[in-house]
Amino acid sequence: MINQETIDKIKQVTDPVSVISQFVKLIRKGTSYRGLCPFHQEQNPSFSVLPSKGIYKCFSCGETGDVITFLMKHEAISFDEAVRRLAVRSGILVEDAVRTTEDKKHHEARECFFTLNEAAAECFVSHLDCEEAQVFLDNRGIDTETVSRFRLGFAPGIDDLLLRTLRRKGYSEELLVTNGLVFMPQSKSRLMDRFRNRMIFPIRNLSGRTVAFGGRLIVNNPKIAKYHNSPESIYYQKRRELYGLFEGKKAITKEGNCFVVEGYTDVLRLSAGGVEETVAPLGTALTIDQVKLLKRFTRCVTLMTDGDDAGRKSALAMLKLFLAEDFEVYLFPLPQGEDPDSYGKMIPEGELRMKLYAGRQDALLYFAGQIWKAAGKEALYRSRALQVIVELLACICDPIRRHFYMEQITALTGFRDIRALDPKSYPVNQTEPAVSARNKLTTREKTERRLISWLIHRGEERLVVVLGNNEIWNPNVREFVHAIIELERIQWQISLCGRIWAEIQTVQVPGQIGYKLYYQNHSDLEIAGMVCELTSPEANNAEAELRSILISMRSSDIGAVIGEMCTQLSRPVGETGIEEIKSQIIKLKKEWYILREYSLQ
């Protein structure tokens, strides 16, 4: 955490106009500067920078903030990174707030992880002039600018070349194993490089730091997997990253659209052809985390999957996820047997962008048409086709948008009863993405999930708690929560959250794995699924946030007990019993009011 005094100093000396003008063309208008808003598409400038106040504001879309906020939103980086960038620009030494030993240890491990990956990337780049690598690049038509932009590399077919190189630079074998750069094969008794005889595709996070590597065989071998990726780690989960997003995020924001393909070389081909707004999942099906990540840059995507049954199936699955997150979704249907890489080679230089944008279609209507056409004339098949189409409609949360599609599909199918196409009235087994179910969580479920998120993501964080006798108590988050739950007799009402809490109390998670990674890969898929959905809490005042959550849970418990007691009063009980119940209700109500007042402070 950066010292607040340092943050204030950086804000004081940084000219917002000089920073923002690197991304937006600004024209002076009196005491302010005007330009086209970088956060939405517009024809007339409504974006204003006021240097005297150190802020910016768009009078059209409402985006506002200071120079740090601008960098965070425009470059999709964290608060700390935005501050550090401005500090370097201003020549200010960044002073971190006092860290606990645990914080320092975690920070050092993280920096070591990225430093080692950087050294490995440099090593892979240094071997790019090998003949095998150059032949691969030439055959693929990948130009030097694209190679440099994506920082492609090559791993020669030598068992321990990277191991020996990095060992000479002072990195231990243990660290190389932890980063997934080397491994111990079962058939051998010595460490070997994970990537051999492969083109290397560095996978970079939004900050541009290399979190992992993807490797593709230079020469296809049916006995060996064509693609091979780094294993997951605390700092890298493939379901949360997108290949090409760091390189293409500015183009995505500018164009208001992103092409979603399936492979590394597909991204390279489109990017080399001038379509830089292209990303791909990391060798797996698209996930809801990746969709939410992309949502930070655009609400419009164009799917471009392989022109075969598997590719169309993949595009259909992507469509459901994007619709559930309220994206505008297009599809560029490729000819049978083609993929984005091969198709890009067929298009004359300079024409790819125009071809893709001119040829894309509304994805939902495209699939509805294909499904209806395949059903033929038989009533049974048509009924099943309508059921599949309605399942797509069920993914759309906005009722107005859904009604628009219902009208379009009515015209397409000739099915006159438009009400039957409404998922709310049509008797189908809807398979809405999990995100729709999350929107229906009760207040108590949301509260308990927030607490679990604190325990998993920031459980080791130390608090400074002032006790009644003015003594200082320094528990970590888990210790603090345990003490309050025991003291206030708080009950877990959501069984899944209760199971996770019970395990946190009893299971000792290895330090090198960490709670987040342990529970995200839990053997109980229900636990793993929920933890993967949780994001790290962003509140600065941890103690206040935790007290608020725990007070809310205790208040809810009291409300439930009062309700039960009121129900008891409606049943035949003796006078003594009635007085006792009323007395307990009065006590509980007093506690409830006290808690309520405390929570509103």
Side-chain angles (χ1 to χ4, degrees), residues 461-485:
E461 186 175 317
R462 290 284 169 184
L463 308 177
V464 179
V465 181
V466 181
L467 302 177
N469 54 5
N470 288 327
E471 288 186 14
I472 302 298
W473 180 37
N474 290 114
N476 65 27
V477 166
R478 294 190 193 96
E479 292 167 345
F480 179 78
V481 170
H482 172 80
I484 300 297
I485 284 179

Side-chain angles (χ1 to χ4, degrees), residues 232-409:
E232 292 195 327
S233 67
I234 297 173
Y235 311 109
Y236 163 65
Q237 292 89 44
K238 55 189 173 185
R239 65 179 172 275
R240 299 182 186 275
E241 306 289 345
L242 284 165
Y243 183 70
L245 184 56
F246 169 73
E247 293 80 4
K249 60 185 180 181
K250 289 184 181 178
I252 293 168
T253 303
K254 179 183 176 183
E255 300 299 333
N257 173 70
C258 179
F259 284 86
V260 181
V261 295
E262 293 183 284
Y264 303 138
T265 53
D266 296 335
V267 173
L268 298 179
R269 169 60 52 201
L270 266 61
S271 183
V275 188
E276 295 181 0
E277 62 274 23
T278 307
V279 302
L282 305 179
T284 61
L286 190 76
T287 68
I288 193 65
D289 292 309
Q290 291 166 332
V291 172
K292 286 182 177 291
L293 179 62
L294 201 52
K295 197 174 183 179
R296 293 164 61 178
F297 302 92
T298 183
R299 291 296 184 91
C300 179
V301 293
T302 302
L303 310 180
M304 195 174 175
T305 55
D306 294 354
D308 54 20
D309 289 341
R312 285 184 282 272
K313 184 178 179 181
S314 173
L316 188 59
M318 290 182 185
L319 171 62
K320 292 179 180 180
L321 287 173
F322 281 117
L323 286 177
E325 287 297 318
D326 202 28
F327 273 75
E328 186 178 353
V329 191
Y330 293 93
L331 175 80
F332 186 88
L334 287 170
Q336 183 67 33
E338 299 291 347
D339 58 38
D341 183 24
S342 63
Y343 181 80
K345 290 179 185 176
M346 297 161 49
I347 307 302
E349 188 175 350
E351 296 182 16
L352 183 60
R353 166 177 289 277
M354 181 184 66
K355 279 270 189 185
L356 296 185
Y357 277 98
R360 65 181 187 167
Q361 304 176 36
D362 184 288
L364 192 151
L365 294 179
Y366 172 84
F367 277 112
Q370 293 294 307
I371 292 165
W372 188 250
K373 182 179 178 181
K377 301 292 184 181
E378 292 190 29
L380 176 62
Y381 294 133
R382 286 194 164 196
S383 173
R384 289 177 179 173
L386 277 174
Q387 185 171 348
V388 174
I389 291 170
V390 172
E391 286 175 2
L392 289 177
L393 290 171
C395 298
I396 303 173
C397 301
D398 182 0
I400 297 174
R401 187 180 177 203
R402 185 168 59 240
H403 188 80
F404 164 78
Y405 276 112
M406 285 161 56
E407 288 182 333
Q408 297 279 86
I409 291 168

